[in-house]
Amino acid sequence: MNVQEIEKLEKSIESMTQLARTCGLDFYPMRYEICPADIIYTFGAYGMPTRFSHWSFGKIFHRLRLEYDFGLSRIYELVINSNPCYAFLLEGNTLLQNQTVCAHVLAHCDFFKNNAMFAHTPRDMVERMSISAERIRQYELQYGRGTVESLLDAGLALQEHVDASVSGRRYRREWREQKDRERRGLYSEDRPSKKRSDYDDLWAIGDELQIESTFVEEQSTRFPLPQKDIMLFLIEHSPVLKLWQRDVLSILRDEMLYFWPQMETKIMNEGWATYWHLRIMREMDLLPEDSIEFAKMHAGVVLPSRTTINPYYVGLAIWEDIEKRWSKRQTPSSTASEGLGSAGREKMFEVREMENDISFLRNYLTKELMEQLDLYLYQKVGNEYRVVETDYEQVRNALCASRLNGGIPVILVEDGDYQRNGELFLRHAYEGVELDLKQLEKTLPYLYQLWGRTCHLATVVEGREVIFSCDGKRTQRKFV
Amino acid sequence: MSNESFTLSKEDWSLHRKGQQDQERHKEKVKEAIKNNLADLISDEGIIMSDGRQIVKIPIRSLEEYRIRYNYSKNRQPGTGKGGSQVGDVIGNGQPGQGQDQSGAGDGKGVDYEEASVTLEDIEEMLFAELELPNLVPKSNENIQVTDVDFRDVRKNGLMSNIDKRRTLLEAIRHSARNGSDKMMIRPDDLRFRTWEDTIEPDSNAVILALMDTSGSMGLFEKYAARTFFFWMVRFLRTKYENVHIRYIAHHTEAKEVSEEHFFTKGESGGTICSSAYDLALRIIQQDYPAGSYNIYPVHFSDGDNLTSDNEKCIKRVEEICKLSQMFAYAEVNAYARSSTLMSAYSKMQNPLFRKFVIREKSDVYRALRAFFSAAPEEGNTA
């Protein structure tokens, strides 16, 4: 983009921002940066400009870059959930493309700011990640690059197993408070008159029952179980990790928690941004040839795929359907039948605040819409992929299930002292979809690396329960 | 934080090299993985049977990023059609392609199998870096060859076209800094020139005698191992050394000299008398390669199933050949760890020039190469 184009872009951003505000979008101050392709693809690979270094990001970067060079795919834009909100525009985009992108990211920013899932994400993550990256760099200098790299390899393999839910947060807090109360109670409230000493347990000698019961109680309350947040469990309870290693894992966990809502709202968020870039660009004064170019670009973005769900396409369709359906149910309070201030728009803003992908699909993907989108389920049958299901409820349920937990299998810590031997026991919350066993067998050694003792994982294969155990040297499977 | 509702800026990002740096590290890891896989790689049939110019795909384990994932091939997945899709419609065969959407980093759907493409040159480069002809001595001074020039020195005077700009500037900066002047001037004294030296590589004057047992007892695996070994040996010698003569001798009960093509492709049958090959080798040495002016390396591959009465003679011949050679290598292909007559005879030999190795599995070919073509003999497998 040359200087004139940048000036033009600046002008149109001004009017688009104005327009977006009048439509009711509510976003943070925007920081648009025009970057060369290399930089955009670097940020795309790392997920954040300031993230720490790791070869796996280099690998993604290389792949993205290659695909770009061959013209197979293209990242138009990158937007960061932060305040102020950073948006990176591709230098090689045309003016019109970058205008569209600006309209698109305004809606993303509105979504970040207002959707409930994002309420707990820190808005200064750019700075936080930069500080974390610096800390990891220091650890590299202190403990050696190889040591840090091997820890990151293991941590990244398990980073998705966190608990971002509000209930999980509350449960952990309550558990901790309870433990605190118990500890304090033991020392003060229960026996206010008696002095505590290290030898108090001597009084209980001979009272076997009591000793046993306290022991059993301790066993079951040492960890809050079952726990979905494997990363936190490792950070808090792993017997082998050093302090700096726990720190690195906490960095990974914090970053995953920050990215988590984006995984949970992919369809909604992309659909929302697509809905708005369409509306905003329609209001702009475009030359005929620009209109054609915009239509082309938009069509490319919402191109449906036979084998995956294009979130832009499905998301946009659901949003437009919501607007249409609620506009018809005109309430007396609203005046306009379409567009600004209509009941349809009101409903949309409510949905963008309250829902995530699963509830969005479950509540608003109607039978008619599904037929219109021609959604189906397919599976490998013999050598071919065939459509195996078109029934509304089945497809909807499978679609919701595929978005569950961001599409990542739910694994729970069941025991941190399995067989009274300090071994770790995990269970896959099996709901009909099996795990990739090859991947699983290769991931368990990482778990072993972080736990330091034998690790077990129970799952279901072909209807039978199987326990995978890794003792650091090899991974075995045992049918139960 | 400013309260402006937006800013638009374009910075200079040219120094932001993080992606490239981590990409470098990834490449390094790919190289490491190749190196760790060399033993399996070089005995890969695809390479040996190829015309020598193909790219080999090898799965590199250490570079896959393993995660706990769903098994997508066993699962039903959603897609969108063009309207009116019916149960039973075929939507594709093979792998379903990934969506065109790439903007969500960390939204890892689809399994990421990493296969690195390795060219034969890559493998050779790494393999041959470890190999050399042992005990190589200059045999005659006549054939000294100048093969290349190598810029390795910097001097104060030289040809203006060979000026070293960076060093000259550095000198000039130093000079003016020393004098405390803020103006930089290049004086004649600051000039630096790159100067070359001739790289002299003596003619190795080496000859390899490739001896291979082609008797009926050499089964598929034995022949395969032997040919793999010789394949790499020949490539190694041709890449690293100029003027290495290779003579091929195939033997069963009697030995004859054969062409390279014949050596690698034709099979024979019959019993085994190894001394016949050694006799022929000795004759070739005496006729064509006087020990005074040649480095001689006989390499013998057999399954060790020699006629027992011949062993005595073999030892004598090997001793004779050893006197004329720089090294005598004997490799036995013995997958089942049976005790072979020839190896039990050779295991008593104490000659430091005699190297032996037992190949039990494909990947041992690599170890055999390392055992024979290294400066100091390595501890090989012994029967």
Side-chain angles (χ1 to χ4, degrees):
Chain A
M1 297 193 84
N2 56 35
V3 182
Q4 287 96 27
E5 280 182 315
I6 292 176
E7 268 171 26
K8 269 192 202 156
L9 181 61
E10 199 157 11
K11 279 217 182 76
S12 51
I13 292 176
E14 210 172 320
S15 54
M16 284 193 292
T17 310
Q18 204 59 44
L19 191 64
R21 282 237 171 76
T22 25
C23 287
L25 290 181
D26 166 31
F27 37 83
Y28 294 119
M30 299 298 297
R31 299 285 176 265
Y32 300 99
E33 301 264 0
I34 299 169
C35 310
D38 261 3
I39 298 302
I40 292 267
Y41 284 85
T42 311
F43 296 169
Y46 288 75
M48 183 66 102
T50 52
R51 214 168 179 194
F52 61 90
S53 248
H54 186 256
W55 60 266
S56 62
F57 299 133
K59 179 178 129 182
I60 304 172
F61 167 69
H62 178 61
R63 198 193 66 217
L64 291 177
R65 189 65 232 255
L66 218 62
E67 284 172 354
Y68 171 74
D69 286 346
F70 289 144
L72 293 173
S73 82
R74 183 165 189 156
I75 301 180
Y76 283 111
E77 119 289 330
L78 212 98
V79 58
I80 308 281
N81 165 25
S82 62
N83 180 15
C85 174
Y86 291 95
F88 300 94
L89 314 177
L90 189 59
E91 197 178 23
N93 281 352
T94 60
L95 173 63
L96 179 105
Q97 282 171 334
N98 269 339
Q99 285 172 330
T100 313
V101 165
C102 288
H104 191 85
V105 299
L106 277 177
H108 272 316
C109 184
D110 164 83
F111 197 88
F112 290 148
K113 189 176 173 185
N114 295 290
N115 183 273
M117 302 299 131
F118 290 86
H120 290 287
T121 54
R123 310 296 178 165
D124 54 354
M125 205 57 185
V126 182
E127 291 79 10
R128 283 182 193 225
M129 281 202 185
S130 145
I131 293 165
S132 309
E134 183 51 35
R135 236 168 40 237
I136 290 179
R137 176 89 196 103
Q138 286 306 318
Y139 291 141
E140 276 182 1
L141 294 175
Q142 202 173 341
Y143 302 103
R145 192 175 165 188
T147 319
V148 175
E149 190 178 84
S150 112
L151 177 70
L152 285 174
D153 286 351
L156 287 169
L158 295 161
Q159 63 172 349
E160 290 149 337
H161 302 281
V162 296
D163 189 355
S165 67
V166 179
S167 57
R169 199 186 296 258
R170 193 191 305 129
Y171 172 62
R172 280 194 304 275
R173 197 187 52 230
E174 281 169 4
W175 183 82
R176 208 162 284 135
E177 283 168 2
Q178 163 103 10
K179 291 295 283 182
D180 271 2
R181 261 200 306 281
E182 274 172 23
R183 206 174 304 128
R184 254 179 282 121
L186 215 59
Y187 287 93
S188 57
E189 285 162 29
D190 265 11
R191 299 170 231 183
S193 55
K194 236 186 198 171
K195 238 186 172 177
R196 291 281 301 174
S197 83
D198 289 345
Y199 305 103
D200 276 1
D201 53 345
L202 287 175
W203 298 115
I205 284 178
D207 199 347
E208 271 177 41
L209 199 78
Q210 199 193 327
I211 292 175
E212 206 164 90
S213 70
T214 44
F215 185 71
V216 168
E217 194 188 30
E218 262 181 32
Q219 277 288 313
S220 61
T221 55
R222 222 161 78 197
F223 322 110
L225 294 170
Q227 183 172 325
K228 178 175 171 289
D229 203 324
I230 298 178
M231 286 298 273
L232 185 65
F233 193 83
L234 290 170
I235 293 163
E236 288 183 338
H237 304 296
S238 165
V240 291
L241 294 179
K242 307 224 167 55
L243 209 57
W244 72 268
Q245 292 172 317
R246 289 176 213 271
D247 182 35
V248 171
L249 291 189
S250 322
I251 291 171
L252 295 181
R253 179 172 174 269
D254 286 345
E255 294 184 357
M256 184 42 72
L257 286 175
Y258 165 80
F259 285 121
W260 194 268
Q262 300 184 27
M263 290 157 65
E264 276 193 316
T265 56
K266 185 101 188 138
I267 296 176
M268 276 184 92
N269 199 349
E270 294 301 356
W272 180 253
T274 308
Y275 174 91
W276 283 107
H277 82 227
L278 203 55
R279 297 298 176 287
I280 293 173
M281 289 305 282
R282 275 180 196 163
E283 297 299 319
M284 303 292 290
D285 248 342
L286 294 184
L287 296 168
E289 58 266 32
D290 284 348
S291 303
I292 305 263
E293 197 195 331
F294 169 71
K296 257 189 185 165
M297 180 184 176
H298 176 76
V301 169
V302 297
L303 187 72
S305 156
R306 304 273 284 157
T307 51
T308 52
I309 293 294
N310 178 353
Y312 299 83
Y313 174 62
V314 175
L316 174 67
I318 300 178
W319 282 115
E320 286 184 335
D321 189 58
I322 292 174
E323 181 176 30
K324 206 169 71 195
R325 285 194 292 140
W326 263 264
S327 294
K328 279 188 201 146
R329 307 180 189 176
Q330 194 62 262
T331 50
S333 66
S334 53
T335 47
S337 64
E338 256 187 23
L340 198 65
S342 74
R345 281 281 166 84
E346 261 175 45
K347 178 67 186 172
M348 285 176 73
F349 277 99
E350 179 199 313
V351 171
R352 79 97 151 80
E353 210 163 311
M354 312 289 290
E355 314 278 0
N356 64 14
D357 272 355
I358 296 177
S359 59
F360 186 61
L361 291 167
R362 190 167 290 286
N363 294 335
Y364 302 105
L365 179 58
T366 61
K367 189 165 190 230
E368 293 72 35
L369 187 59
M370 186 175 287
E371 276 163 12
Q372 188 195 316
L373 291 172
D374 194 20
L375 279 163
Y376 53 72
L377 297 180
Y378 70 93
Q379 192 172 18
K380 196 166 186 179
V381 183
N383 261 338
E384 294 161 332
Y385 286 88
R386 281 177 185 275
V387 175
V388 289
E389 189 65 76
T390 52
D391 176 65
Y392 165 60
E393 269 185 33
Q394 292 272 346
V395 176
R396 188 197 60 190
N397 289 352
L399 205 55
C400 289
S402 75
R403 302 305 310 154
L404 196 72
N405 197 37
I408 288 150
V410 177
I411 313 285
L412 300 168
V413 181
E414 268 199 355
D415 198 346
D417 191 15
Y418 184 59
Q419 293 177 339
R420 299 266 165 93
N421 194 23
E423 296 176 10
L424 187 63
F425 192 93
L426 310 178
R427 183 177 295 279
H428 166 218
Y430 177 77
E431 288 188 322
V433 184
E434 287 180 16
L435 299 181
D436 185 322
L437 301 184
K438 187 184 161 229
Q439 293 269 325
L440 174 64
E441 284 183 335
K442 300 281 182 189
T443 313
L444 283 179
Y446 288 125
L447 192 64
Y448 176 86
Q449 184 186 338
L450 298 178
W451 184 254
R453 278 172 184 267
T454 305
C455 299
H456 310 268
L457 189 143
T459 180
V460 176
V461 178
E462 318 237 297
R464 294 178 67 190
E465 188 173 316
V466 186
I467 296 177
F468 289 80
S469 306
C470 175
D471 62 359
K473 291 182 200 81
R474 46 197 291 233
T475 307
Q476 289 173 310
R477 59 175 92 173
K478 196 171 76 199
F479 285 88
V480 180
Chain B
M1 194 186 72
S2 102
N3 278 326
E4 280 175 86
S5 69
F6 78 91
T7 59
L8 176 66
S9 57
K10 186 178 172 183
E11 313 279 334
D12 178 14
W13 291 93
S14 56
L15 289 177
H16 196 280
R17 308 286 301 164
K18 200 162 159 189
Q20 282 86 346
Q21 280 161 9
D22 281 342
Q23 186 187 333
E24 258 337 284
R25 175 67 191 136
H26 178 236
K27 271 193 205 152
E28 250 172 58
K29 287 186 78 89
V30 172
K31 263 214 162 124
E32 262 170 50
I34 296 174
K35 213 165 183 177
N36 296 335
N37 280 328
L38 262 185
D40 289 324
L41 270 180
I42 68 159
S43 44
D44 188 281
E45 266 147 274
I47 302 180
I48 309 305
M49 302 307 166
S50 77
D51 53 359
R53 283 286 158 261
Q54 73 170 25
I55 290 174
V56 197
K57 286 212 162 197
I58 49 161
I60 293 180
R61 297 231 169 80
S62 64
L63 295 189
E64 275 182 48
E65 296 157 70
Y66 293 107
R67 304 277 189 272
I68 299 179
R69 287 260 172 274
Y70 286 124
N71 185 347
Y72 288 107
S73 62
K74 272 193 173 180
N75 190 14
R76 301 190 299 179
Q77 290 177 72
T80 41
K82 289 172 187 151
S85 290
Q86 298 289 318
V87 171
D89 287 0
V90 177
I91 57 167
N93 41 28
Q95 288 291 314
Q98 290 196 14
Q100 65 273 54
D101 159 45
Q102 296 287 353
S103 56
D107 185 43
K109 193 179 175 177
V111 193
D112 195 16
Y113 286 107
E114 187 70 11
E115 262 196 348
S117 308
V118 190
T119 59
L120 204 54
E121 283 86 353
D122 287 340
I123 301 175
E124 283 178 347
E125 191 188 316
M126 264 176 276
L127 176 63
F128 297 163
E130 300 173 347
L131 303 181
E132 62 176 296
L133 282 175
N135 311 330
L136 196 65
V137 285
K139 289 283 184 177
S140 64
N141 293 327
E142 306 140 31
N143 311 352
I144 288 177
Q145 296 179 325
V146 176
T147 52
D148 207 356
V149 289
D150 191 9
F151 283 95
R152 56 168 101 175
D153 202 4
V154 179
R155 292 182 194 164
K156 281 197 172 181
N157 41 31
L159 293 173
M160 207 35 115
S161 62
N162 286 337
I163 191 161
D164 188 328
K165 289 179 197 151
R166 178 202 289 261
R167 285 208 173 80
T168 304
L169 278 174
L170 257 173
E171 283 304 320
I173 291 168
R174 278 204 195 109
H175 201 123
S176 42
R178 271 201 302 274
N179 295 342
S181 70
D182 47 347
K183 227 171 141 192
M184 199 190 75
M185 245 175 66
I186 301 175
R187 294 150 207 258
D189 199 34
D190 297 330
L191 294 179
R192 292 292 181 275
F193 300 91
R194 302 189 318 135
T195 322
W196 72 90
E197 271 172 24
D198 293 333
T199 318
I200 296 163
E201 227 174 64
D203 187 347
S204 59
N205 276 7
V207 56
I208 301 275
L209 300 171
L211 286 65
M212 182 160 64
D213 185 348
T214 52
S215 65
S217 59
M218 287 286 281
L220 269 183
F221 172 73
E222 284 82 0
K223 278 185 190 140
Y224 177 75
R227 279 177 187 150
T228 310
F229 178 89
F230 284 123
F231 172 85
W232 288 108
M233 185 193 79
V234 170
R235 290 194 75 86
F236 152 65
L237 295 170
R238 298 237 163 97
T239 331
K240 256 191 133 168
Y241 296 91
E242 269 182 80
N243 303 332
V244 174
H245 303 254
I246 305 171
R247 302 285 286 263
Y248 301 93
I249 297 171
H251 77 89
H252 32 96
T253 50
E254 46 193 66
K256 62 181 169 194
E257 195 181 347
V258 295
S259 69
E260 180 174 338
E261 197 206 340
H262 186 277
F263 185 79
F264 277 107
T265 49
K266 299 283 189 316
E268 302 260 354
S269 57
T272 316
I273 298 177
C274 291
S275 61
S276 65
Y278 300 154
D279 280 335
L280 181 58
L282 273 171
R283 265 204 307 283
I284 292 176
I285 293 172
Q286 274 148 15
Q287 274 168 22
D288 301 345
Y289 305 105
S293 38
Y294 281 96
N295 288 292
I296 300 167
Y297 300 90
V299 180
H300 182 210
F301 259 73
S302 170
D303 59 352
D305 219 355
N306 198 27
L307 194 71
T308 321
S309 59
D310 183 51
N311 285 346
E312 200 73 8
K313 197 174 165 199
C314 282
I315 292 184
K316 236 186 266 163
R317 292 285 177 273
V318 169
E319 289 284 4
E320 274 173 52
I321 298 175
C322 276
K323 274 185 204 131
L324 303 169
S325 328
Q326 306 310 119
M327 172 196 76
F328 186 98
Y330 171 68
E332 186 168 297
V333 191
N334 193 338
Y336 309 104
R338 57 200 158 74
S339 70
S340 84
T341 58
L342 201 56
M343 188 51 102
S344 51
Y346 284 159
S347 56
K348 294 186 197 92
M349 280 189 60
Q350 292 298 322
N351 196 322
L353 295 179
F354 183 75
R355 296 187 186 183
K356 56 188 185 300
F357 195 89
V358 180
I359 293 178
R360 295 193 200 286
E361 51 183 41
K362 269 189 187 179
S363 56
D364 279 340
V365 171
Y366 168 68
R367 276 165 222 125
L369 276 167
R370 303 247 330 224
F372 293 158
F373 297 109
S374 59
E378 277 181 36
E379 265 314 301
N381 294 358
T382 39

